[in-house]
Amino acid sequence: MVLELYFVIAGHAEVMDGEIVKSVVRSDVDQPSIVGEVSFFLGVQQQYAVRAPASSDIELLMMSKEACQELFKDYPEQQDVINRNLLVQFNMDEKGDDLEIDLQEDEEDADRNAMRQMIKETVKRRNDQAFRALARAVVSGDFEEVLRMLRKGVGINET
């Protein structure tokens, strides 16, 4: 699990697949300069390593998983917003099911398809585990746990 989220605020970082540079995360572009957001927020395995090139300086802002969890205690709805936005980028809903959005340009990107499959499996496994935990709480009569899980958004319409 990725325990830190990085924002590139000056310079650039390289996303590496072994010794091959897959992409560059730069601070001087309009797109967000974030490293590891999918793994950090969705809890999937990080596909690639990230390094700062020896030829340049880089300045990073880091958010730890602990700090993020503290923020989500005060703003729990924001975690859902972030997760939904990330899943939509991979044409999925919060259950890991396909959306009706046509993303043909991504069909040929093997790396993106591998990441999408990993996310889908992780989301479905987590939802299944959450439902089973809810069922155990119901069977054991733990009313407080059932309420907590329902407030958290565990689906009750699963089979």
Side-chain angles (χ1 to χ4, degrees):
M1 176 185 290
V2 175
L3 300 176
E4 297 166 337
L5 180 65
Y6 291 96
F7 300 86
V8 180
I9 57 176
H12 69 277
E14 297 172 336
V15 179
M16 305 295 295
D17 185 5
E19 293 300 315
I20 300 169
V21 177
K22 296 296 284 184
S23 65
V24 176
V25 180
R26 304 171 51 107
S27 64
D28 61 349
V29 293
D30 290 336
Q31 298 173 351
S33 301
I34 304 171
V35 178
E37 70 277 12
V38 173
S39 298
F40 184 82
F41 288 112
L42 297 179
V44 298
Q45 182 178 351
Q46 180 74 17
Q47 281 184 304
Y48 304 111
V50 179
R51 74 174 184 192
S55 62
S56 69
D57 291 332
I58 184 171
E59 189 175 344
L60 300 171
L61 178 64
M62 187 271 295
M63 175 182 275
S64 70
K65 195 70 161 177
E66 292 171 351
C68 186
Q69 289 170 341
E70 284 297 315
L71 283 172
F72 287 151
K73 282 181 186 177
D74 294 330
Y75 306 100
E77 68 284 354
Q78 294 306 309
Q79 184 173 14
D80 293 334
V81 170
I82 291 169
N83 289 347
R84 258 192 314 274
N85 287 341
L86 287 170
L87 289 170
V88 165
Q89 290 179 17
F90 288 90
N91 197 26
M92 278 182 256
D93 64 14
E94 57 274 349
K95 290 184 176 183
D97 294 328
D98 293 338
L99 295 174
E100 299 297 322
I101 300 170
D102 186 19
L103 299 176
Q104 291 177 343
E105 68 275 1
D106 290 333
E107 290 178 4
E108 297 176 15
D109 186 345
D111 292 336
R112 185 168 176 81
N113 287 335
M115 177 62 98
R116 184 178 189 280
Q117 188 60 36
M118 191 182 318
I119 293 169
K120 181 177 274 224
E121 290 168 4
T122 299
V123 168
K124 288 192 175 284
R125 182 178 60 251
R126 264 198 217 119
N127 288 339
D128 184 51
Q129 290 169 344
F131 180 74
R132 283 187 279 163
L134 175 65
R136 283 192 299 273
V138 168
V139 169
S140 69
D142 189 346
F143 183 71
E144 292 301 317
E145 180 65 8
V146 171
L147 285 178
R148 186 189 71 73
M149 294 179 80
L150 291 175
R151 278 190 220 109
K152 188 177 175 184
V154 175
I156 60 171
N157 295 321
E158 305 297 324
T159 60

